[in-house]
Each structure stands twice: as C-alpha cells, then as structure tokens.
Amino acid sequence: VPAALQKLQTRFQLVVLSNGDPDMLETAKDYHKIPFDRIISVSEANSFKPHVDTYTRAASLVGLRMDQVLFVANHAFDVIGAKAAGMATAFINRRERPFERTPHQPDITVRPCRSSLTCSSDGDATRLSRRPVSTSSWLQTASRHPTEIGRAHV
C-alpha cells in the first residue's frame, strides 16, 4: 500500500479526513509512516462524518471544489455522506457485503484484491477517468494538475 500511495502522490493530493481527534491522528503518523499531504480531523472540519458539512469543509480546507474530489472509503456511511455532499466516491468493499439501499450509491466499488495482480471494480471507471482524481484506500484525492485528464494505475 505505501508504494501505491507514493505513486499516486506524484499526481494527486492524498488527504485523510478522519473522525479521530488531532492527538490520535498525530500519534498514528508514527505507525503508518505515510506522508499524506494533509490530515484533517473532524475538529478542524467542525462536524463529524457523515454530516455533509464535514465533507464540504474538508474540500474547502484543501482548496478544492466538491467535483474535484474522489472520496474513497471502506465504510458505507462515509461513502454515503461524501456522495450526498457532492463528491465522487469509491467504496472499498473489504467485507464483500452489499451496499446499503440509498440514492447515494458509490461511483465505483472496488472488491478486495486476492493478490497484487488481481483486483476488480464495478462502476463507470471510464466516466470517472475524466475527473482530475484517482483512487486509493480511504483517502480523499485530487489532482495536483487540475487540467490533467486520465487515470493513475496502481
């Protein structure tokens, strides 16, 4: 995962939005050792996920419009909140459960990888490729080059 995130980071911002408090998120850096571009706590966003204001505030904090963000999560409530706020979403279906019945369906669903060579997804990846974003585990990502069109392959 760190190598894949590093590759994505050459073209996209990698931003974490967490319901965790700032102290916990700061301590986590010592363990995950991934140099995210930004880590946003809900205390900075001023509301807890999945409230719509959390996602809109996070996008504002990194200087992006909602349509410039692809929010990736492995919790349905998080995907629903981000989608309701106007972000494109990707759902990492680690537990291989059906997605909840809601009008806020993810744009893409990624199934667990059985090996480093086999991953699959449902959704319109072609349509999403026109967005200046890419996917990575539980991260908001947005292009470092807003005029760039294309997908990052990991």
Side-chain angles (χ1 to χ4, degrees), residues 4-5 8-9 11-17 36-37 62 64-72 87-88 90 131-144 152:
L5 293 177
L8 286 171
Q9 203 166 29
R11 294 177 52 196
F12 304 96
Q13 291 183 62
L14 301 183
V15 179
V16 174
L17 174 60
F36 295 106
D37 294 294
V62 294
L64 296 171
R65 296 183 322 264
M66 298 302 279
D67 66 342
Q68 291 179 300
V69 177
L70 176 62
F71 189 88
V72 183
M87 294 177 170
R131 294 178 176 269
V133 295
S134 183
T135 62
S136 63
S137 176
W138 52 274
L139 303 172
Q140 290 184 11
T141 62
S143 177
R144 293 186 184 282

PDB file of all heavy atoms in Angstrom, residues 4-5 8-9 11-17 36-37 62 64-72 87-88 90 131-144 152:
ATOM      1  N   ALA A   4       2.059   2.077  -3.497  1.00  0.00           N
ATOM      2  CA  ALA A   4       0.966   2.519  -4.365  1.00  0.00           C
ATOM      3  C   ALA A   4       0.580   3.960  -4.051  1.00  0.00           C
ATOM      4  O   ALA A   4       0.360   4.774  -4.957  1.00  0.00           O
ATOM      5  CB  ALA A   4      -0.237   1.597  -4.202  1.00  0.00           C
ATOM      6  N   LEU A   5       0.513   4.290  -2.775  1.00  0.00           N
ATOM      7  CA  LEU A   5       0.167   5.660  -2.383  1.00  0.00           C
ATOM      8  C   LEU A   5       1.255   6.634  -2.815  1.00  0.00           C
ATOM      9  O   LEU A   5       0.964   7.750  -3.256  1.00  0.00           O
ATOM     10  CB  LEU A   5      -0.063   5.739  -0.878  1.00  0.00           C
ATOM     11  CG  LEU A   5      -1.281   4.988  -0.361  1.00  0.00           C
ATOM     12  CD1 LEU A   5      -1.355   5.080   1.153  1.00  0.00           C
ATOM     13  CD2 LEU A   5      -2.556   5.487  -0.997  1.00  0.00           C
ATOM     14  N   LEU A   8       0.708   7.325  -6.454  1.00  0.00           N
ATOM     15  CA  LEU A   8      -0.428   8.226  -6.634  1.00  0.00           C
ATOM     16  C   LEU A   8      -0.076   9.652  -6.235  1.00  0.00           C
ATOM     17  O   LEU A   8      -0.523  10.612  -6.858  1.00  0.00           O
ATOM     18  CB  LEU A   8      -1.622   7.750  -5.803  1.00  0.00           C
ATOM     19  CG  LEU A   8      -2.355   6.529  -6.315  1.00  0.00           C
ATOM     20  CD1 LEU A   8      -3.354   6.047  -5.287  1.00  0.00           C
ATOM     21  CD2 LEU A   8      -3.047   6.837  -7.635  1.00  0.00           C
ATOM     22  N   GLN A   9       0.734   9.778  -5.226  1.00  0.00           N
ATOM     23  CA  GLN A   9       1.074  11.099  -4.695  1.00  0.00           C
ATOM     24  C   GLN A   9       1.901  11.935  -5.669  1.00  0.00           C
ATOM     25  O   GLN A   9       1.979  13.145  -5.521  1.00  0.00           O
ATOM     26  CB  GLN A   9       1.795  10.947  -3.362  1.00  0.00           C
ATOM     27  CG  GLN A   9       1.692  12.164  -2.488  1.00  0.00           C
ATOM     28  CD  GLN A   9       2.119  11.869  -1.068  1.00  0.00           C
ATOM     29  OE1 GLN A   9       2.951  10.997  -0.812  1.00  0.00           O
ATOM     30  NE2 GLN A   9       1.550  12.586  -0.134  1.00  0.00           N
ATOM     31  N   ARG A  11       0.953  12.499  -8.593  1.00  0.00           N
ATOM     32  CA  ARG A  11      -0.033  13.181  -9.432  1.00  0.00           C
ATOM     33  C   ARG A  11      -1.232  13.721  -8.671  1.00  0.00           C
ATOM     34  O   ARG A  11      -1.988  14.530  -9.203  1.00  0.00           O
ATOM     35  CB  ARG A  11      -0.542  12.226 -10.505  1.00  0.00           C
ATOM     36  CG  ARG A  11       0.535  11.841 -11.489  1.00  0.00           C
ATOM     37  CD  ARG A  11       0.061  10.849 -12.518  1.00  0.00           C
ATOM     38  NE  ARG A  11      -1.156  11.279 -13.186  1.00  0.00           N
ATOM     39  CZ  ARG A  11      -1.923  10.459 -13.887  1.00  0.00           C
ATOM     40  NH1 ARG A  11      -1.614   9.199 -13.989  1.00  0.00           N
ATOM     41  NH2 ARG A  11      -3.008  10.907 -14.477  1.00  0.00           N
ATOM     42  N   PHE A  12      -1.444  13.259  -7.447  1.00  0.00           N
ATOM     43  CA  PHE A  12      -2.642  13.609  -6.714  1.00  0.00           C
ATOM     44  C   PHE A  12      -2.325  13.949  -5.265  1.00  0.00           C
ATOM     45  O   PHE A  12      -1.395  13.396  -4.691  1.00  0.00           O
ATOM     46  CB  PHE A  12      -3.639  12.433  -6.718  1.00  0.00           C
ATOM     47  CG  PHE A  12      -3.986  11.963  -8.092  1.00  0.00           C
ATOM     48  CD1 PHE A  12      -3.328  10.884  -8.660  1.00  0.00           C
ATOM     49  CD2 PHE A  12      -4.954  12.609  -8.837  1.00  0.00           C
ATOM     50  CE1 PHE A  12      -3.632  10.448  -9.946  1.00  0.00           C
ATOM     51  CE2 PHE A  12      -5.268  12.184 -10.125  1.00  0.00           C
ATOM     52  CZ  PHE A  12      -4.601  11.102 -10.676  1.00  0.00           C
ATOM     53  N   GLN A  13      -3.134  14.845  -4.685  1.00  0.00           N
ATOM     54  CA  GLN A  13      -3.052  15.088  -3.249  1.00  0.00           C
ATOM     55  C   GLN A  13      -3.669  13.897  -2.532  1.00  0.00           C
ATOM     56  O   GLN A  13      -4.709  13.404  -2.944  1.00  0.00           O
ATOM     57  CB  GLN A  13      -3.862  16.317  -2.858  1.00  0.00           C
ATOM     58  CG  GLN A  13      -3.331  17.628  -3.322  1.00  0.00           C
ATOM     59  CD  GLN A  13      -4.207  18.742  -2.783  1.00  0.00           C
ATOM     60  OE1 GLN A  13      -4.327  18.922  -1.574  1.00  0.00           O
ATOM     61  NE2 GLN A  13      -4.835  19.476  -3.685  1.00  0.00           N
ATOM     62  N   LEU A  14      -3.037  13.469  -1.469  1.00  0.00           N
ATOM     63  CA  LEU A  14      -3.602  12.406  -0.640  1.00  0.00           C
ATOM     64  C   LEU A  14      -3.949  13.026   0.702  1.00  0.00           C
ATOM     65  O   LEU A  14      -3.072  13.446   1.449  1.00  0.00           O
ATOM     66  CB  LEU A  14      -2.604  11.264  -0.459  1.00  0.00           C
ATOM     67  CG  LEU A  14      -2.124  10.606  -1.747  1.00  0.00           C
ATOM     68  CD1 LEU A  14      -1.197   9.445  -1.432  1.00  0.00           C
ATOM     69  CD2 LEU A  14      -3.288  10.137  -2.595  1.00  0.00           C
ATOM     70  N   VAL A  15      -5.249  13.082   0.982  1.00  0.00           N
ATOM     71  CA  VAL A  15      -5.737  13.775   2.164  1.00  0.00           C
ATOM     72  C   VAL A  15      -6.636  12.843   2.965  1.00  0.00           C
ATOM     73  O   VAL A  15      -7.551  12.243   2.420  1.00  0.00           O
ATOM     74  CB  VAL A  15      -6.528  15.048   1.760  1.00  0.00           C
ATOM     75  CG1 VAL A  15      -7.069  15.754   2.991  1.00  0.00           C
ATOM     76  CG2 VAL A  15      -5.654  15.968   0.925  1.00  0.00           C
ATOM     77  N   VAL A  16      -6.369  12.741   4.237  1.00  0.00           N
ATOM     78  CA  VAL A  16      -7.187  11.938   5.134  1.00  0.00           C
ATOM     79  C   VAL A  16      -8.204  12.845   5.814  1.00  0.00           C
ATOM     80  O   VAL A  16      -7.858  13.926   6.280  1.00  0.00           O
ATOM     81  CB  VAL A  16      -6.311  11.251   6.216  1.00  0.00           C
ATOM     82  CG1 VAL A  16      -7.178  10.525   7.233  1.00  0.00           C
ATOM     83  CG2 VAL A  16      -5.320  10.304   5.574  1.00  0.00           C
ATOM     84  N   LEU A  17      -9.445  12.390   5.862  1.00  0.00           N
ATOM     85  CA  LEU A  17     -10.487  13.046   6.648  1.00  0.00           C
ATOM     86  C   LEU A  17     -10.941  12.020   7.672  1.00  0.00           C
ATOM     87  O   LEU A  17     -11.449  10.952   7.309  1.00  0.00           O
ATOM     88  CB  LEU A  17     -11.662  13.479   5.761  1.00  0.00           C
ATOM     89  CG  LEU A  17     -12.874  14.050   6.489  1.00  0.00           C
ATOM     90  CD1 LEU A  17     -12.504  15.285   7.295  1.00  0.00           C
ATOM     91  CD2 LEU A  17     -13.979  14.364   5.491  1.00  0.00           C
ATOM     92  N   PHE A  36       1.070  11.789   4.119  1.00  0.00           N
ATOM     93  CA  PHE A  36      -0.097  12.377   3.479  1.00  0.00           C
ATOM     94  C   PHE A  36       0.115  13.873   3.288  1.00  0.00           C
ATOM     95  O   PHE A  36       0.819  14.523   4.053  1.00  0.00           O
ATOM     96  CB  PHE A  36      -1.344  12.148   4.339  1.00  0.00           C
ATOM     97  CG  PHE A  36      -1.724  10.701   4.459  1.00  0.00           C
ATOM     98  CD1 PHE A  36      -1.505  10.003   5.638  1.00  0.00           C
ATOM     99  CD2 PHE A  36      -2.285  10.029   3.392  1.00  0.00           C
ATOM    100  CE1 PHE A  36      -1.846   8.669   5.758  1.00  0.00           C
ATOM    101  CE2 PHE A  36      -2.631   8.692   3.492  1.00  0.00           C
ATOM    102  CZ  PHE A  36      -2.405   8.010   4.676  1.00  0.00           C
ATOM    103  N   ASP A  37      -0.523  14.421   2.257  1.00  0.00           N
ATOM    104  CA  ASP A  37      -0.432  15.858   2.015  1.00  0.00           C
ATOM    105  C   ASP A  37      -1.142  16.648   3.102  1.00  0.00           C
ATOM    106  O   ASP A  37      -0.745  17.757   3.423  1.00  0.00           O
ATOM    107  CB  ASP A  37      -1.015  16.201   0.634  1.00  0.00           C
ATOM    108  CG  ASP A  37      -0.179  15.616  -0.482  1.00  0.00           C
ATOM    109  OD1 ASP A  37       0.984  16.047  -0.632  1.00  0.00           O
ATOM    110  OD2 ASP A  37      -0.674  14.708  -1.180  1.00  0.00           O
ATOM    111  N   VAL A  62      -8.695  22.212   1.638  1.00  0.00           N
ATOM    112  CA  VAL A  62      -7.625  21.887   0.685  1.00  0.00           C
ATOM    113  C   VAL A  62      -7.781  22.655  -0.629  1.00  0.00           C
ATOM    114  O   VAL A  62      -7.053  22.407  -1.587  1.00  0.00           O
ATOM    115  CB  VAL A  62      -7.514  20.365   0.432  1.00  0.00           C
ATOM    116  CG1 VAL A  62      -7.078  19.644   1.684  1.00  0.00           C
ATOM    117  CG2 VAL A  62      -8.796  19.777  -0.118  1.00  0.00           C
ATOM    118  N   LEU A  64     -10.356  22.882  -2.861  1.00  0.00           N
ATOM    119  CA  LEU A  64     -10.942  22.183  -3.997  1.00  0.00           C
ATOM    120  C   LEU A  64     -12.451  22.318  -4.013  1.00  0.00           C
ATOM    121  O   LEU A  64     -13.085  22.455  -2.970  1.00  0.00           O
ATOM    122  CB  LEU A  64     -10.585  20.692  -3.940  1.00  0.00           C
ATOM    123  CG  LEU A  64      -9.115  20.356  -4.070  1.00  0.00           C
ATOM    124  CD1 LEU A  64      -8.883  18.886  -3.772  1.00  0.00           C
ATOM    125  CD2 LEU A  64      -8.608  20.715  -5.452  1.00  0.00           C
ATOM    126  N   ARG A  65     -13.009  22.256  -5.223  1.00  0.00           N
ATOM    127  CA  ARG A  65     -14.457  22.159  -5.377  1.00  0.00           C
ATOM    128  C   ARG A  65     -14.853  20.699  -5.110  1.00  0.00           C
ATOM    129  O   ARG A  65     -14.042  19.786  -5.249  1.00  0.00           O
ATOM    130  CB  ARG A  65     -14.880  22.534  -6.798  1.00  0.00           C
ATOM    131  CG  ARG A  65     -14.586  23.959  -7.188  1.00  0.00           C
ATOM    132  CD  ARG A  65     -15.124  24.258  -8.614  1.00  0.00           C
ATOM    133  NE  ARG A  65     -14.965  23.155  -9.541  1.00  0.00           N
ATOM    134  CZ  ARG A  65     -13.945  23.025 -10.399  1.00  0.00           C
ATOM    135  NH1 ARG A  65     -12.975  23.919 -10.437  1.00  0.00           N
ATOM    136  NH2 ARG A  65     -13.890  21.987 -11.224  1.00  0.00           N
ATOM    137  N   MET A  66     -16.093  20.495  -4.766  1.00  0.00           N
ATOM    138  CA  MET A  66     -16.565  19.136  -4.488  1.00  0.00           C
ATOM    139  C   MET A  66     -16.381  18.211  -5.687  1.00  0.00           C
ATOM    140  O   MET A  66     -16.062  17.040  -5.528  1.00  0.00           O
ATOM    141  CB  MET A  66     -18.035  19.171  -4.060  1.00  0.00           C
ATOM    142  CG  MET A  66     -18.275  19.969  -2.784  1.00  0.00           C
ATOM    143  SD  MET A  66     -17.343  19.349  -1.383  1.00  0.00           S
ATOM    144  CE  MET A  66     -18.404  18.005  -0.921  1.00  0.00           C
ATOM    145  N   ASP A  67     -16.576  18.733  -6.906  1.00  0.00           N
ATOM    146  CA  ASP A  67     -16.441  17.885  -8.092  1.00  0.00           C
ATOM    147  C   ASP A  67     -14.984  17.573  -8.449  1.00  0.00           C
ATOM    148  O   ASP A  67     -14.714  16.844  -9.390  1.00  0.00           O
ATOM    149  CB  ASP A  67     -17.163  18.508  -9.285  1.00  0.00           C
ATOM    150  CG  ASP A  67     -16.540  19.813  -9.763  1.00  0.00           C
ATOM    151  OD1 ASP A  67     -15.766  20.442  -9.008  1.00  0.00           O
ATOM    152  OD2 ASP A  67     -16.837  20.210 -10.899  1.00  0.00           O
ATOM    153  N   GLN A  68     -14.034  18.098  -7.687  1.00  0.00           N
ATOM    154  CA  GLN A  68     -12.623  17.796  -7.911  1.00  0.00           C
ATOM    155  C   GLN A  68     -12.112  16.709  -6.966  1.00  0.00           C
ATOM    156  O   GLN A  68     -10.942  16.367  -7.009  1.00  0.00           O
ATOM    157  CB  GLN A  68     -11.770  19.049  -7.708  1.00  0.00           C
ATOM    158  CG  GLN A  68     -11.976  20.096  -8.764  1.00  0.00           C
ATOM    159  CD  GLN A  68     -11.111  21.306  -8.472  1.00  0.00           C
ATOM    160  OE1 GLN A  68     -11.224  21.945  -7.429  1.00  0.00           O
ATOM    161  NE2 GLN A  68     -10.239  21.615  -9.408  1.00  0.00           N
ATOM    162  N   VAL A  69     -12.993  16.185  -6.124  1.00  0.00           N
ATOM    163  CA  VAL A  69     -12.574  15.230  -5.103  1.00  0.00           C
ATOM    164  C   VAL A  69     -13.174  13.860  -5.385  1.00  0.00           C
ATOM    165  O   VAL A  69     -14.349  13.750  -5.723  1.00  0.00           O
ATOM    166  CB  VAL A  69     -13.021  15.699  -3.697  1.00  0.00           C
ATOM    167  CG1 VAL A  69     -12.659  14.671  -2.641  1.00  0.00           C
ATOM    168  CG2 VAL A  69     -12.418  17.058  -3.365  1.00  0.00           C
ATOM    169  N   LEU A  70     -12.357  12.836  -5.225  1.00  0.00           N
ATOM    170  CA  LEU A  70     -12.846  11.466  -5.180  1.00  0.00           C
ATOM    171  C   LEU A  70     -12.616  10.992  -3.763  1.00  0.00           C
ATOM    172  O   LEU A  70     -11.480  10.921  -3.297  1.00  0.00           O
ATOM    173  CB  LEU A  70     -12.108  10.553  -6.157  1.00  0.00           C
ATOM    174  CG  LEU A  70     -12.506   9.076  -6.087  1.00  0.00           C
ATOM    175  CD1 LEU A  70     -13.981   8.890  -6.429  1.00  0.00           C
ATOM    176  CD2 LEU A  70     -11.643   8.248  -7.011  1.00  0.00           C
ATOM    177  N   PHE A  71     -13.697  10.701  -3.064  1.00  0.00           N
ATOM    178  CA  PHE A  71     -13.616  10.250  -1.683  1.00  0.00           C
ATOM    179  C   PHE A  71     -13.662   8.732  -1.687  1.00  0.00           C
ATOM    180  O   PHE A  71     -14.570   8.131  -2.231  1.00  0.00           O
ATOM    181  CB  PHE A  71     -14.787  10.814  -0.875  1.00  0.00           C
ATOM    182  CG  PHE A  71     -14.646  10.577   0.593  1.00  0.00           C
ATOM    183  CD1 PHE A  71     -13.965  11.479   1.383  1.00  0.00           C
ATOM    184  CD2 PHE A  71     -15.170   9.438   1.173  1.00  0.00           C
ATOM    185  CE1 PHE A  71     -13.808  11.261   2.742  1.00  0.00           C
ATOM    186  CE2 PHE A  71     -15.024   9.203   2.526  1.00  0.00           C
ATOM    187  CZ  PHE A  71     -14.333  10.114   3.318  1.00  0.00           C
ATOM    188  N   VAL A  72     -12.668   8.120  -1.063  1.00  0.00           N
ATOM    189  CA  VAL A  72     -12.552   6.666  -1.049  1.00  0.00           C
ATOM    190  C   VAL A  72     -12.643   6.180   0.394  1.00  0.00           C
ATOM    191  O   VAL A  72     -11.942   6.693   1.261  1.00  0.00           O
ATOM    192  CB  VAL A  72     -11.214   6.220  -1.673  1.00  0.00           C
ATOM    193  CG1 VAL A  72     -11.116   4.707  -1.719  1.00  0.00           C
ATOM    194  CG2 VAL A  72     -11.046   6.823  -3.067  1.00  0.00           C
ATOM    195  N   MET A  87     -19.391  14.836  -3.676  1.00  0.00           N
ATOM    196  CA  MET A  87     -18.114  14.264  -4.111  1.00  0.00           C
ATOM    197  C   MET A  87     -18.360  12.999  -4.930  1.00  0.00           C
ATOM    198  O   MET A  87     -19.345  12.304  -4.727  1.00  0.00           O
ATOM    199  CB  MET A  87     -17.252  13.874  -2.907  1.00  0.00           C
ATOM    200  CG  MET A  87     -16.797  15.033  -2.072  1.00  0.00           C
ATOM    201  SD  MET A  87     -15.858  14.434  -0.625  1.00  0.00           S
ATOM    202  CE  MET A  87     -15.217  15.983  -0.013  1.00  0.00           C
ATOM    203  N   ALA A  88     -17.447  12.708  -5.833  1.00  0.00           N
ATOM    204  CA  ALA A  88     -17.428  11.382  -6.448  1.00  0.00           C
ATOM    205  C   ALA A  88     -16.921  10.438  -5.368  1.00  0.00           C
ATOM    206  O   ALA A  88     -16.157  10.836  -4.487  1.00  0.00           O
ATOM    207  CB  ALA A  88     -16.489  11.366  -7.650  1.00  0.00           C
ATOM    208  N   ALA A  90     -15.696   6.279  -4.117  1.00  0.00           N
ATOM    209  CA  ALA A  90     -15.304   4.896  -4.374  1.00  0.00           C
ATOM    210  C   ALA A  90     -15.433   4.143  -3.068  1.00  0.00           C
ATOM    211  O   ALA A  90     -15.008   4.630  -2.018  1.00  0.00           O
ATOM    212  CB  ALA A  90     -13.879   4.832  -4.899  1.00  0.00           C
ATOM    213  N   ARG A 131     -12.394  12.844 -14.523  1.00  0.00           N
ATOM    214  CA  ARG A 131     -12.211  13.695 -13.357  1.00  0.00           C
ATOM    215  C   ARG A 131     -10.730  13.775 -13.031  1.00  0.00           C
ATOM    216  O   ARG A 131      -9.998  12.826 -13.238  1.00  0.00           O
ATOM    217  CB  ARG A 131     -12.939  13.116 -12.144  1.00  0.00           C
ATOM    218  CG  ARG A 131     -14.425  13.091 -12.286  1.00  0.00           C
ATOM    219  CD  ARG A 131     -15.010  12.461 -11.036  1.00  0.00           C
ATOM    220  NE  ARG A 131     -16.443  12.507 -11.082  1.00  0.00           N
ATOM    221  CZ  ARG A 131     -17.164  13.507 -10.583  1.00  0.00           C
ATOM    222  NH1 ARG A 131     -16.572  14.513 -10.001  1.00  0.00           N
ATOM    223  NH2 ARG A 131     -18.457  13.484 -10.663  1.00  0.00           N
ATOM    224  N   PRO A 132     -10.287  14.890 -12.478  1.00  0.00           N
ATOM    225  CA  PRO A 132      -8.868  15.002 -12.113  1.00  0.00           C
ATOM    226  C   PRO A 132      -8.582  14.333 -10.775  1.00  0.00           C
ATOM    227  O   PRO A 132      -8.105  14.950  -9.845  1.00  0.00           O
ATOM    228  CB  PRO A 132      -8.663  16.510 -12.049  1.00  0.00           C
ATOM    229  CG  PRO A 132      -9.992  17.027 -11.612  1.00  0.00           C
ATOM    230  CD  PRO A 132     -11.015  16.120 -12.269  1.00  0.00           C
ATOM    231  N   VAL A 133      -8.985  13.059 -10.665  1.00  0.00           N
ATOM    232  CA  VAL A 133      -8.822  12.348  -9.401  1.00  0.00           C
ATOM    233  C   VAL A 133      -8.446  10.897  -9.652  1.00  0.00           C
ATOM    234  O   VAL A 133      -8.516  10.408 -10.757  1.00  0.00           O
ATOM    235  CB  VAL A 133     -10.115  12.393  -8.554  1.00  0.00           C
ATOM    236  CG1 VAL A 133     -10.445  13.793  -8.127  1.00  0.00           C
ATOM    237  CG2 VAL A 133     -11.288  11.777  -9.317  1.00  0.00           C
ATOM    238  N   SER A 134      -8.051  10.210  -8.616  1.00  0.00           N
ATOM    239  CA  SER A 134      -7.774   8.782  -8.682  1.00  0.00           C
ATOM    240  C   SER A 134      -8.190   8.153  -7.370  1.00  0.00           C
ATOM    241  O   SER A 134      -8.615   8.837  -6.451  1.00  0.00           O
ATOM    242  CB  SER A 134      -6.294   8.551  -8.955  1.00  0.00           C
ATOM    243  OG  SER A 134      -6.055   7.176  -9.087  1.00  0.00           O
ATOM    244  N   THR A 135      -8.036   6.838  -7.257  1.00  0.00           N
ATOM    245  CA  THR A 135      -8.464   6.155  -6.050  1.00  0.00           C
ATOM    246  C   THR A 135      -7.288   5.642  -5.239  1.00  0.00           C
ATOM    247  O   THR A 135      -6.241   5.328  -5.756  1.00  0.00           O
ATOM    248  CB  THR A 135      -9.370   4.953  -6.372  1.00  0.00           C
ATOM    249  OG1 THR A 135      -8.632   4.012  -7.137  1.00  0.00           O
ATOM    250  CG2 THR A 135     -10.600   5.385  -7.113  1.00  0.00           C
ATOM    251  N   SER A 136      -7.493   5.575  -3.968  1.00  0.00           N
ATOM    252  CA  SER A 136      -6.570   4.923  -3.039  1.00  0.00           C
ATOM    253  C   SER A 136      -7.318   4.702  -1.743  1.00  0.00           C
ATOM    254  O   SER A 136      -8.327   5.347  -1.495  1.00  0.00           O
ATOM    255  CB  SER A 136      -5.319   5.767  -2.814  1.00  0.00           C
ATOM    256  OG  SER A 136      -5.653   6.991  -2.223  1.00  0.00           O
ATOM    257  N   SER A 137      -6.860   3.815  -0.933  1.00  0.00           N
ATOM    258  CA  SER A 137      -7.591   3.389   0.245  1.00  0.00           C
ATOM    259  C   SER A 137      -7.941   4.548   1.178  1.00  0.00           C
ATOM    260  O   SER A 137      -7.082   5.308   1.587  1.00  0.00           O
ATOM    261  CB  SER A 137      -6.750   2.356   0.998  1.00  0.00           C
ATOM    262  OG  SER A 137      -7.366   1.986   2.189  1.00  0.00           O
ATOM    263  N   TRP A 138      -9.214   4.661   1.537  1.00  0.00           N
ATOM    264  CA  TRP A 138      -9.802   5.602   2.493  1.00  0.00           C
ATOM    265  C   TRP A 138      -9.274   7.023   2.458  1.00  0.00           C
ATOM    266  O   TRP A 138      -9.190   7.694   3.449  1.00  0.00           O
ATOM    267  CB  TRP A 138      -9.763   5.050   3.916  1.00  0.00           C
ATOM    268  CG  TRP A 138      -8.444   4.574   4.419  1.00  0.00           C
ATOM    269  CD1 TRP A 138      -7.915   3.334   4.251  1.00  0.00           C
ATOM    270  CD2 TRP A 138      -7.486   5.304   5.158  1.00  0.00           C
ATOM    271  NE1 TRP A 138      -6.697   3.267   4.832  1.00  0.00           N
ATOM    272  CE2 TRP A 138      -6.403   4.452   5.409  1.00  0.00           C
ATOM    273  CE3 TRP A 138      -7.420   6.603   5.648  1.00  0.00           C
ATOM    274  CZ2 TRP A 138      -5.276   4.855   6.115  1.00  0.00           C
ATOM    275  CZ3 TRP A 138      -6.295   6.996   6.357  1.00  0.00           C
ATOM    276  CH2 TRP A 138      -5.250   6.124   6.582  1.00  0.00           C
ATOM    277  N   LEU A 139      -8.972   7.509   1.271  1.00  0.00           N
ATOM    278  CA  LEU A 139      -8.404   8.849   1.157  1.00  0.00           C
ATOM    279  C   LEU A 139      -9.211   9.715   0.218  1.00  0.00           C
ATOM    280  O   LEU A 139      -9.735   9.242  -0.759  1.00  0.00           O
ATOM    281  CB  LEU A 139      -6.978   8.775   0.591  1.00  0.00           C
ATOM    282  CG  LEU A 139      -6.012   7.917   1.363  1.00  0.00           C
ATOM    283  CD1 LEU A 139      -4.734   7.798   0.576  1.00  0.00           C
ATOM    284  CD2 LEU A 139      -5.748   8.524   2.705  1.00  0.00           C
ATOM    285  N   GLN A 140      -9.207  10.984   0.520  1.00  0.00           N
ATOM    286  CA  GLN A 140      -9.660  11.941  -0.471  1.00  0.00           C
ATOM    287  C   GLN A 140      -8.463  12.195  -1.354  1.00  0.00           C
ATOM    288  O   GLN A 140      -7.351  12.335  -0.877  1.00  0.00           O
ATOM    289  CB  GLN A 140     -10.033  13.265   0.154  1.00  0.00           C
ATOM    290  CG  GLN A 140     -11.265  13.243   0.968  1.00  0.00           C
ATOM    291  CD  GLN A 140     -11.561  14.631   1.446  1.00  0.00           C
ATOM    292  OE1 GLN A 140     -10.973  15.597   1.015  1.00  0.00           O
ATOM    293  NE2 GLN A 140     -12.487  14.736   2.352  1.00  0.00           N
ATOM    294  N   THR A 141      -8.683  12.280  -2.643  1.00  0.00           N
ATOM    295  CA  THR A 141      -7.565  12.551  -3.530  1.00  0.00           C
ATOM    296  C   THR A 141      -7.995  13.558  -4.567  1.00  0.00           C
ATOM    297  O   THR A 141      -9.122  13.566  -5.003  1.00  0.00           O
ATOM    298  CB  THR A 141      -7.072  11.267  -4.230  1.00  0.00           C
ATOM    299  OG1 THR A 141      -8.122  10.762  -5.032  1.00  0.00           O
ATOM    300  CG2 THR A 141      -6.647  10.216  -3.232  1.00  0.00           C
ATOM    301  N   ALA A 142      -7.103  14.388  -4.955  1.00  0.00           N
ATOM    302  CA  ALA A 142      -7.408  15.349  -6.013  1.00  0.00           C
ATOM    303  C   ALA A 142      -6.142  15.634  -6.784  1.00  0.00           C
ATOM    304  O   ALA A 142      -5.041  15.539  -6.267  1.00  0.00           O
ATOM    305  CB  ALA A 142      -7.964  16.634  -5.430  1.00  0.00           C
ATOM    306  N   SER A 143      -6.299  15.966  -8.032  1.00  0.00           N
ATOM    307  CA  SER A 143      -5.155  16.141  -8.913  1.00  0.00           C
ATOM    308  C   SER A 143      -4.270  17.310  -8.507  1.00  0.00           C
ATOM    309  O   SER A 143      -4.754  18.360  -8.106  1.00  0.00           O
ATOM    310  CB  SER A 143      -5.654  16.365 -10.336  1.00  0.00           C
ATOM    311  OG  SER A 143      -4.579  16.598 -11.206  1.00  0.00           O
ATOM    312  N   ARG A 144      -2.972  17.114  -8.608  1.00  0.00           N
ATOM    313  CA  ARG A 144      -2.029  18.209  -8.428  1.00  0.00           C
ATOM    314  C   ARG A 144      -2.040  19.090  -9.675  1.00  0.00           C
ATOM    315  O   ARG A 144      -1.591  20.206  -9.650  1.00  0.00           O
ATOM    316  CB  ARG A 144      -0.621  17.659  -8.202  1.00  0.00           C
ATOM    317  CG  ARG A 144      -0.481  16.918  -6.913  1.00  0.00           C
ATOM    318  CD  ARG A 144       0.970  16.524  -6.701  1.00  0.00           C
ATOM    319  NE  ARG A 144       1.115  15.732  -5.506  1.00  0.00           N
ATOM    320  CZ  ARG A 144       1.131  16.217  -4.275  1.00  0.00           C
ATOM    321  NH1 ARG A 144       0.978  17.492  -4.061  1.00  0.00           N
ATOM    322  NH2 ARG A 144       1.278  15.424  -3.246  1.00  0.00           N
ATOM    323  N   ALA A 152      -4.667   7.157 -12.875  1.00  0.00           N
ATOM    324  CA  ALA A 152      -3.406   6.624 -12.359  1.00  0.00           C
ATOM    325  C   ALA A 152      -3.618   5.141 -12.157  1.00  0.00           C
ATOM    326  O   ALA A 152      -4.610   4.727 -11.593  1.00  0.00           O
ATOM    327  CB  ALA A 152      -3.044   7.290 -11.043  1.00  0.00           C
TER     328      ALA A 152
END
